[in-house]
Structure formats: structure tokens, C-alpha cells
Amino acid sequence: MKLASGCDRRCSFCAIPSFRGSFISRRPSDVLGETRWLAEQGVKEIMLVSENNTSYGKDLGDIRLLETLLPELAAVDGLERIRVSYLQPAEMRPGLIDVLTSTEKVAPYFDLSFQHSAPGVLRAMRRFGDTDRFLELLDSIRAKAPQAGARSNFIVGFPGETEEDVAELERFLVGARLDAIGVFGYSDEDGTEAATYDDKLDPEIVAERLARVSRLAEELTAQRAEERVGETIEVLVDRVDDEDGVIGRAAHQAPETDGQVMLTMDRGAAAPGRMVVAKVVASEGVDLVAEPLGIEGGCTEEAAR
């Protein structure tokens, strides 16, 4: 569900503000009305999207509008889960963290746009923060919700990036324990400030760093999934088929990007849209294998009957 459009940030690598314009929030009444309609159609999970959800409401005179909207959305009958995407680390507020980690039906899910963690690279990107500040942010989130999901994307090979900068990014990735990591090699975007920078890296160096950091990311996300073995999770069933069985997603897994959960249960005991309480018994890369403990408040056997 679209929460806003446009962006007021001026990251040096991004062309979005040039063709989508300034940040414009949808009115809460419109978002709430659409959510109610979707729930009436049988939708069980909504994912709020925009270029920067942490800015929601600032153009309406209330930068904390998301904190009041989320509980209202969570109260809509029929919804099982609400997920918020694309959060700017520099704009995260204690109140927003509180709502995201404590509101029933709101997934404690943090899609944080870090992009890098070396201070010099971030400043060249027209962004803020560094490794230690980002790790402190993640620590503050997990202090409130130890099972919270966290994911991010990163750009390697940005103009002027040094080997020391890459090592700093790797230090952050090792300490961050992210559930999902996207890594992209830098390339010029027409109309962006970074496209005019002189200190471009050789494409072979960019490719080497992309492969290196991608390998590390794959290893670290598999380790993070393994850490979740033994956790009790709520799995929203996405599909049931003869080949894959019962497949769903936990609160830390957004559609199509963050892995999935394979439930060890009879296909006739669940249907898409049902919420299954399960215990994680194994991991396969970023995917989890989980043993059901119950379905929508009832045990698996009762639901099957």
C-alpha cells in the first residue's frame, strides 16, 4: 500500500527526487479507508511503501503521524499483519521504534536504508551515520524486541571508496546480524551528483568488491537464520502446493525478498492467509523450517479436522 510519494532527501547517487518530486504523504483517512476495503476483500497483510516512510506526515504538519496511524491500521478487522518498509536510519525516532516493536499485528520489521557504513563514503553519498551509530540503532531495536527482523541494501564501489572503507562496511555487516542483505555495485545514474564525481573506480574493482561483499552477506544471513532455530514464530501462510507443501513468512520476512518458512504440516491443515504459530527447527540458507504449534488460536490437529 502506497503511504507517500516522492522524496526530499538528496542522496548523491539517487535520481528519484528529479522525476518523482517532493515528498507527499497520503492522508491518514485515505490509507485507513483503503486498508479497511482490502481487509474486506480478504487481504491478511499490508506492506506500507514509499521512498521514505520515516518522513510520513511531515508535510501534513506531524512528523509523528506514522506512530498514531499504525495502531489504527492494526485495529482493522481481518488483518493479520502490517509491515512498514524503507526506513531512514537518520530519521528513526524512539517513539517510532516503540510502536513498531510493541503494537499487536505490526511486524517488528526494520527495513533500514544504510547503503554503507564508512563515514567518508556516506558523506559522499550525502547521507549520515557510521558503523557504530548504526550498530547502536540495531541494539536499541533488539533491546525492545529481540526477535525483530532487520534488513538493508548496500552499494559497493562508490566513487572514492577505499579498501579501508570496504573493511569498515564488512565490520558493520558482521556486527549487524541482518536477516537479509542486498548488495549492489555502483553505477552512474543520469542526472545525479555522483555521476559527476571524478574519482570513479575501475569496473573490475567494483565487480571484485561486489562479489566479495555478496559472499560475506550470503554467509552472514545464513548464520542469522541459523540463530533463529528454537524461536517461536508466527507464520502467515502464502501458499500450499503439492511440490513445496505449506510455505509462509514470519514477521521478519517481507514478500519475495527475505526468505520464507517451510512448515512441516499436512497440506490440508492450512490455507493461504492463515496464521500458524510454529517453532523453528532448522534453517536452509535464509529460509527456515518450522514445526507448527497451532493455527489461529487452535491446534493443528483441530484445524485439520
Side-chain angles (χ1 to χ4, degrees):
M1 178 184 296
K2 192 173 185 178
L3 192 63
S5 61
C7 186
D8 290 336
R9 301 183 72 86
R10 293 295 182 265
C11 300
S12 63
F13 57 84
C14 182
I16 286 176
S18 67
F19 60 83
R20 290 193 181 171
S22 299
F23 187 87
I24 301 176
S25 303
R26 291 183 67 194
R27 293 201 169 274
S29 57
D30 294 339
V31 176
L32 191 56
E34 184 177 349
T35 299
R36 287 171 177 150
W37 182 85
L38 289 170
E40 289 170 358
Q41 310 313 305
V43 170
K44 297 298 182 182
E45 176 177 336
I46 62 168
M47 184 169 179
L48 302 177
V49 299
S50 77
E51 278 70 41
N52 178 11
N53 281 330
T54 37
S55 283
Y56 179 70
K58 72 174 185 179
D59 54 317
L60 300 177
D62 185 359
I63 190 60
R64 294 177 175 79
L65 198 54
L66 187 57
E67 285 99 302
T68 57
L69 177 61
L70 285 172
E72 292 184 78
L73 296 177
V76 173
D77 289 340
L79 280 185
E80 293 288 353
R81 181 180 289 156
I82 299 158
R83 187 182 302 278
V84 182
S85 68
Y86 210 83
L87 303 166
Q88 283 287 349
E91 297 181 25
M92 288 300 296
R93 308 174 290 275
L96 181 55
I97 293 174
D98 287 343
V99 170
L100 287 169
T101 55
S102 64
T103 307
E104 185 178 3
K105 294 188 179 180
V106 173
Y109 175 80
F110 292 81
D111 176 15
L112 293 158
S113 176
F114 289 122
Q115 302 299 345
H116 211 286
S117 74
V121 175
L122 287 169
R123 302 305 174 269
M125 290 178 169
R126 304 297 181 196
R127 297 177 66 86
F128 305 93
D130 55 46
T131 294
D132 292 333
R133 289 188 204 176
F134 291 163
L135 290 177
E136 288 173 5
L137 172 59
L138 290 168
D139 285 345
S140 69
I141 290 167
R142 289 170 175 145
K144 294 179 179 296
Q147 290 185 218
R151 74 166 329 276
S152 192
N153 294 324
F154 300 88
I155 298 173
V156 296
F158 194 79
E161 181 189 65
T162 65
E163 277 295 325
E164 290 76 14
D165 293 329
V166 179
E168 184 68 0
L169 174 58
E170 291 172 328
R171 180 172 81 88
F172 171 69
L173 292 175
V174 170
R177 296 168 54 236
L178 299 173
D179 292 281
I181 299 170
V183 186
F184 303 90
Y186 172 80
S187 61
D188 286 340
E189 289 285 339
D190 290 341
T192 62
E193 180 184 353
T196 68
Y197 289 175
D198 293 328
D199 48 354
K200 303 284 177 60
L201 301 184
D202 188 287
E204 292 184 0
I205 294 177
V206 177
E208 184 278 327
R209 291 179 181 178
L210 174 61
R212 166 180 154 193
V213 177
S214 294
R215 286 193 299 270
L216 176 63
E218 184 176 356
E219 177 183 337
L220 292 172
T221 52
Q223 290 176 4
R224 179 65 184 124
E226 189 174 0
E227 289 178 9
R228 291 192 177 274
V229 174
E231 288 185 358
T232 297
I233 57 177
E234 291 185 341
V235 182
L236 185 63
V237 176
D238 274 338
R239 70 180 192 276
V240 181
D241 57 51
D242 293 337
E243 182 177 352
D244 297 323
V246 182
I247 304 297
R249 291 174 294 104
H252 70 279
Q253 296 169 318
E256 301 178 0
T257 60
D258 301 341
Q260 60 189 14
V261 179
M262 296 163 280
L263 291 165
T264 59
M265 64 188 298
D266 182 71
R267 293 178 182 85
R274 283 200 169 185
M275 191 71 79
V276 179
V277 179
K279 181 178 181 179
V280 181
V281 296
S283 63
E284 298 179 6
V286 297
D287 297 331
L288 303 177
V289 179
E291 180 180 300
L293 302 175
I295 297 181
E296 295 184 340
C299 73
T300 302
E301 293 77 13
E302 288 174 349
R305 289 198 293 271

